[in-house]
Amino acid sequence: QSIPFFIAFIVLEFAVSWVQKRKLSGRINDGISSLSLGILSRLPDVLFRSVDLISYIYIWNNYRLFELPWDSQWTWYLTLLGVDFAYYCFHRMSHEVNILWAAHQIHHSSEDYNLFTALRQSVLQKYTSWIFNLPMALFIPPSVFAVHLQFNLLYQFWIHTEVITNLGPLEWILNTPSHHRVHHGRNPYCIDKNYGGTLIIWDRIFGTFEAEDAKVVYGLTHPVNSFDPIMLQLRPLAHIWNTFWTTPGFCNKLSVIFKGPGWGPGKPRLGLPEEIPVITGKEVPFNPRLPTYLNCYAVVHFAVLTDLYTELLGTVTMLSQGTILLRIGFIILSLTSFGLLMENRQELKTGILEVIRCLVFIGLYKLGYLRSHFSSLGYAYEVKYLL
């Protein structure tokens, strides 16, 4: 239900950015990459129930100490603070524990900063974040928790923008675009700062707050230089796996997993600040040039995929397990093909993969395994994919 609002705000950001700077707020390749990662991160929810709510309800049903009244305003205020503090703890651990960072860094891998970046999420992150919410299940009703969990995530969408500069006194209490720009920076002064979700008070209390100062350069300290969503999800885990086996000593191997991503034998838990690459201001984002017709091709096909994806979300309870798996498989195939296309790899396999994808679409659509929100576009889709 939030997707139309996301699209409306993205269009509004484009318009405001054009008025302010006479340029759009992002790039086609990076935008498609962010949306691809967002779609990929939601696919497990099509097959499985939310681990956040399942675990929370289990603790509530079996171990709660007492029950706060769901209809009391104080319960809602307390839950607002509780959910946001749990998010701060989880978010901070996701930067300070290497195995958690391997999932979370997908969100930081964009070298742009716009509302597309907010949708750039990890498939694996949700399977660790739920632990931090469980203490609230001892006394806060699941219905109240579920609402605030969604509020907290939805709030964080709008702060991923450069078109809003400063919000005055609100900067002292709320997490704002200015504060979150710092969090996404790879400048040395930005590293491991401003973890808050809705509120910035936790960072001020625990010493992790940093105000926006020098121009922020976005992305990872060591850029990934890829738009392939599968590779972006798996490469950090592969790096930990390889480092684990090449690091001598059992305790050091455990440290590879549970200490910071900058840790190495003989270094502090979070690594050495002087090893963070210096920002010169001349950094150039990874931006392979594509012919205009290929950019148009990618945008049109991604729009069709978004239509198919939202139709899946809306009808999932009425579909067989086999149909759901076929649709998910086609979506993953498409996202991978788009990623390779955006990298402008002049390789035969990239073209072959796209031809296979188009043929798979035609087959699945003819057999009734794929459906559009707009039934009148079915014939147009078939013609387009054939072409």
Side-chain angles (χ1 to χ4, degrees):
Q1 293 175 346
S2 62
I3 290 175
F5 295 96
F6 289 163
I7 294 172
F9 276 110
I10 287 170
V11 171
L12 179 61
E13 183 187 36
F14 279 159
V16 174
S17 179
W18 183 259
V19 170
Q20 289 179 341
K21 305 175 183 177
R22 287 294 183 268
K23 69 174 185 178
L24 298 179
S25 55
R27 296 169 292 148
I28 291 174
N29 48 25
D30 190 83
I32 288 180
S33 177
S34 292
L35 291 174
S36 296
L37 288 162
I39 290 174
L40 197 63
S41 72
R42 302 298 297 176
L43 290 180
D45 295 336
V46 175
L47 293 172
F48 312 109
R49 292 183 178 182
S50 167
V51 66
D52 276 312
L53 294 180
I54 288 177
S55 58
Y56 193 97
I57 290 171
Y58 177 81
I59 297 297
W60 169 262
N61 287 338
N62 294 281
Y63 300 106
R64 70 176 180 267
L65 302 177
F66 56 91
E67 181 175 342
L68 293 177
W70 74 269
D71 55 351
S72 168
Q73 61 179 334
W74 296 108
T75 302
W76 286 75
Y77 295 150
L78 178 63
T79 310
L80 168 66
L81 293 173
V83 168
D84 202 58
F85 180 64
Y87 178 82
Y88 171 86
C89 294
F90 159 70
H91 196 183
R92 184 168 179 176
M93 287 299 99
S94 294
H95 282 252
E96 296 185 358
V97 176
N98 203 16
I99 192 66
L100 300 183
W101 172 246
H104 182 63
Q105 71 169 315
I106 281 85
H107 182 60
H108 286 263
S109 59
S110 174
E111 294 177 275
D112 289 349
Y113 189 77
N114 49 43
L115 294 179
F116 284 126
T117 309
L119 305 176
R120 193 181 190 97
Q121 298 294 331
S122 165
V123 172
L124 301 174
Q125 182 171 293
K126 68 187 73 177
Y127 298 108
T128 54
S129 60
W130 60 274
I131 299 171
F132 293 82
N133 295 314
L134 294 185
M136 288 180 286
L138 299 174
F139 52 91
I140 293 175
S143 57
V144 181
F145 164 75
V147 171
H148 277 284
L149 185 66
Q150 297 304 311
F151 281 165
N152 191 274
L153 294 175
L154 289 172
Y155 176 90
Q156 293 178 54
F157 172 74
W158 76 277
I159 60 177
H160 291 83
T161 185
E162 291 187 298
V163 301
I164 298 173
T165 53
N166 190 284
L167 295 179
L170 293 177
E171 302 278 344
W172 284 94
I173 301 170
L174 297 177
N175 191 16
T176 65
S178 176
H179 297 329
H180 207 59
R181 284 194 289 271
V182 171
H183 180 71
H184 273 260
R186 67 189 202 215
N187 313 55
Y189 87 92
C190 298
I191 302 299
D192 295 341
K193 300 295 181 182
N194 299 359
Y195 295 113
T198 300
L199 305 172
I200 202 66
I201 58 174
W202 314 115
D203 290 285
R204 295 185 183 277
I205 291 171
F206 296 108
T208 53
F209 174 75
E210 188 70 44
E212 188 175 18
D213 186 10
K215 179 175 173 55
V216 177
V217 177
Y218 303 108
L220 301 169
T221 55
H222 299 87
V224 180
N225 292 341
S226 177
F227 298 123
D228 180 354
I230 305 300
M231 192 282 291
L232 287 169
Q233 297 281 353
L234 297 180
R235 193 166 79 169
L237 293 173
H239 175 71
I240 290 179
W241 175 264
N242 293 332
T243 306
F244 178 87
W245 289 111
T246 56
T247 301
F250 180 72
C251 291
N252 284 339
K253 289 183 184 296
L254 291 180
S255 296
V256 168
I257 299 173
F258 297 109
K259 289 188 178 180
W263 177 85
K267 297 179 183 178
R269 182 176 67 89
L270 299 181
L272 297 169
E274 56 266 29
E275 291 184 350
I276 298 172
V278 176
I279 296 300
T280 65
K282 298 179 181 179
E283 288 74 17
V284 178
F286 178 62
N287 191 30
R289 295 296 178 183
L290 280 182
T292 301
Y293 77 90
L294 271 183
N295 276 320
C296 293
Y297 176 92
V299 169
V300 170
H301 275 264
F302 195 87
V304 173
L305 186 71
T306 303
D307 173 28
L308 301 176
Y309 167 69
T310 53
E311 203 277 337
L312 169 62
L313 294 182
T315 61
V316 65
T317 56
M318 298 179 283
L319 300 175
S320 69
Q321 199 76 353
T323 300
I324 292 171
L325 290 173
L326 282 172
R327 292 191 183 190
I328 288 176
F330 176 74
I331 289 171
I332 293 173
L333 173 64
S334 297
L335 297 179
T336 302
S337 185
F338 293 152
L340 297 177
L341 186 67
M342 291 293 95
E343 292 178 14
N344 196 19
R345 295 188 181 185
Q346 302 299 320
E347 299 176 6
L348 182 61
K349 67 178 182 182
T350 303
I352 292 175
L353 182 64
E354 183 59 16
V355 170
I356 293 172
R357 188 185 76 85
C358 291
L359 292 174
V360 168
F361 171 87
I362 294 169
L364 293 178
Y365 206 87
K366 281 290 188 183
L367 294 172
Y369 290 110
L370 288 176
R371 282 289 178 264
S372 165
H373 268 305
F374 313 101
S375 56
S376 59
L377 292 178
Y379 181 71
Y381 282 178
E382 290 183 42
V383 171
K384 181 170 71 66
Y385 273 86
L386 278 170
L387 291 173

